[in-house]
Amino acid sequence: MKKIKKAVLPVAGFGTRFLPATKSSSKEMLPLVDKPLIHYAVKDAVEAGIEQIIFVTGRGKRAIEDYFDISFELEFHLSFQGKSDLVDEMRKISDMADFVYIRQKEPKGLGHAILRAKDVVGDEPFAVILADDVIENRLSGTKQLMDIFERYNCSVLGLERVAKEDVYKYGIVSGREIEKKLFKLDEFVEKPSIEEAVSDKAIIGRYIFTHNIFNELEKTKADKKGEVQLTDAIESLSKKEVVYGKILEGKRFDCGSKLGFLKATVEFALNDKEIKDEFKKYLKEVE
Ligand code: G1P
């Protein structure tokens, strides 16, 4: 069985829900306390043993490249001030993995973005991580899926049960439970209404795919909005080979929405050694 060494991180979106903040900067660079969302996504991958991060980027995403690069000027300045701990911390970020950048020239959806990575991924299974979904857990979301992949050698999606009112935000799937929290999937519907939803199980932003997903993506037609949906390609894949879904352990924050982002900010601040005590006190004051 091939080991998974590569993860594709699509980061070309406009981040319209966070405008005007995202007018000149990338949504993935919004910070939870002191680290940008993209840092947590890369960490999720690296903790699962991923060595190469393939970013599918778009216009205005230079900040992501700079973040994972060495900043000579910054390191020089920090060394000059005697802040060697910070220099090490900065250097660790660029050492997290090997980083590759591909441009998605047109905003044609998540499926189209993933397909851009075909040549760099090659003939290997790979992970996909959506930085909007931040998962806090002892084992990273990608690692949890990797464990399933290593046992069954097939594509596997990260799932979470969601409330009826929220199904319209997600790819919703259903299938037979083959062991606790693990499903063999056979129905897939992208952003359904409550009536159209096939279950309460939503795809959250962690996936592992065999390279065959690329053949399906190539054949998948764009929807009415002109977007190639990854979920549609997964459905076609499931007709040819097994696709599993695993309810992930841990707490997930939907950082693609303002409320989810704020909840994550509060919880991360309450876990931050440096500020948690004062922040707790402050929260009581404003209650
Ligand atoms: C995407 C996928 C959707 C999935 C969601 C998870 O939607 O298309 O199937 O459930 O990510 O966050 P987006 O949030 O990009 O609209």
Side-chain angles (χ1 to χ4, degrees):
M1 187 198 301
K2 286 186 177 155
K3 237 182 148 32
I4 299 179
K5 296 281 176 205
K6 299 179 179 179
V8 177
L9 276 65
V11 293
F14 286 123
T16 36
R17 279 188 227 145
F18 286 93
L19 280 170
T22 46
K23 189 178 170 202
S24 60
S25 154
S26 152
K27 166 180 75 170
E28 294 78 13
M29 289 306 292
L30 293 171
L32 292 178
V33 186
D34 57 4
K35 291 182 196 72
L37 292 177
I38 198 66
H39 185 109
Y40 297 100
V42 169
K43 185 165 163 266
D44 195 285
V46 170
E47 283 177 3
I50 297 286
E51 293 171 4
Q52 186 177 66
I53 301 288
I54 304 160
F55 288 112
V56 183
T57 75
R59 212 159 278 281
K61 301 286 174 168
R62 271 289 301 280
I64 296 177
E65 292 183 40
D66 288 343
Y67 185 78
F68 290 104
D69 199 0
I70 292 170
S71 171
F72 176 77
E73 297 87 338
L74 177 65
E75 289 186 12
F76 181 81
H77 175 75
L78 293 172
S79 304
F80 189 70
Q81 292 189 324
K83 294 181 175 157
S84 58
D85 289 1
L86 262 181
V87 174
D88 293 346
E89 209 182 303
M90 294 307 105
R91 188 52 78 98
K92 269 189 206 144
I93 298 171
S94 47
D95 287 343
M96 282 170 98
D98 170 33
F99 299 101
V100 176
Y101 299 87
I102 302 171
R103 289 282 276 225
Q104 182 186 19
K105 291 181 204 149
E106 302 160 283
K108 285 191 176 170
L110 181 58
H112 178 263
I114 304 299
L115 187 54
R116 297 299 99 216
K118 182 182 175 200
D119 291 343
V120 182
V121 169
D123 190 16
E124 289 178 35
F126 64 103
V128 169
I129 298 177
L130 307 184
D132 277 1
D133 286 309
V134 175
I135 300 170
E136 272 289 276
N137 191 56
R138 186 179 55 83
L139 287 183
S140 84
T142 306
K143 173 73 179 129
Q144 295 179 51
L145 297 186
M146 202 86 103
D147 291 345
I148 302 293
F149 174 81
E150 278 165 14
R151 282 167 56 210
Y152 296 99
N153 200 14
C154 65
S155 298
V156 45
L157 321 180
L159 305 179
E160 182 178 281
R161 292 185 189 278
V162 295
K164 252 199 221 146
E165 312 77 73
D166 290 331
V167 290
Y168 75 95
K169 298 179 190 165
Y170 300 96
I172 301 292
V173 298
S174 78
R176 191 165 58 84
E177 190 164 18
I178 57 155
E179 62 182 70
K180 203 163 176 262
K181 297 187 179 176
L182 184 66
F183 296 81
K184 181 171 179 274
L185 303 177
D186 52 19
E187 285 188 286
F188 304 78
V189 44
E190 179 67 10
K191 305 209 171 79
S193 61
I194 294 181
E195 296 72 38
E196 290 162 341
V198 290
S199 81
D200 62 349
K201 291 184 283 299
I203 305 172
I204 50 175
R206 301 292 180 277
Y207 309 76
I208 291 212
F209 291 118
T210 64
H211 72 277
N212 295 333
I213 191 70
F214 291 123
N215 300 333
E216 303 312 318
L217 281 168
E218 272 167 348
K219 286 185 250 163
T220 303
K221 301 242 164 19
D223 64 10
K224 280 181 241 143
K225 287 195 276 172
E227 294 188 356
V228 175
Q229 294 301 342
L230 179 58
T231 305
D232 293 345
I234 304 173
E235 180 173 28
S236 329
L237 183 70
S238 77
K239 299 201 167 111
K240 300 186 175 146
E241 56 181 59
V242 178
V243 176
Y244 281 163
K246 170 87 170 76
I247 308 261
L248 292 181
E249 304 296 334
K251 190 157 188 178
R252 180 188 66 102
F253 298 95
D254 171 15
C255 292
S257 76
K258 281 182 200 167
L259 190 62
F261 178 77
L262 287 173
K263 285 182 185 172
T265 301
V266 170
E267 295 221 17
F268 276 63
L270 288 172
N271 281 323
D272 185 294
K273 276 189 221 118
E274 204 183 306
I275 57 169
K276 67 176 179 191
D277 294 335
E278 275 195 65
F279 187 57
K280 234 184 242 169
K281 236 168 57 192
Y282 171 73
L283 286 182
K284 283 200 181 115
E285 277 166 33
V286 293
E287 236 170 26

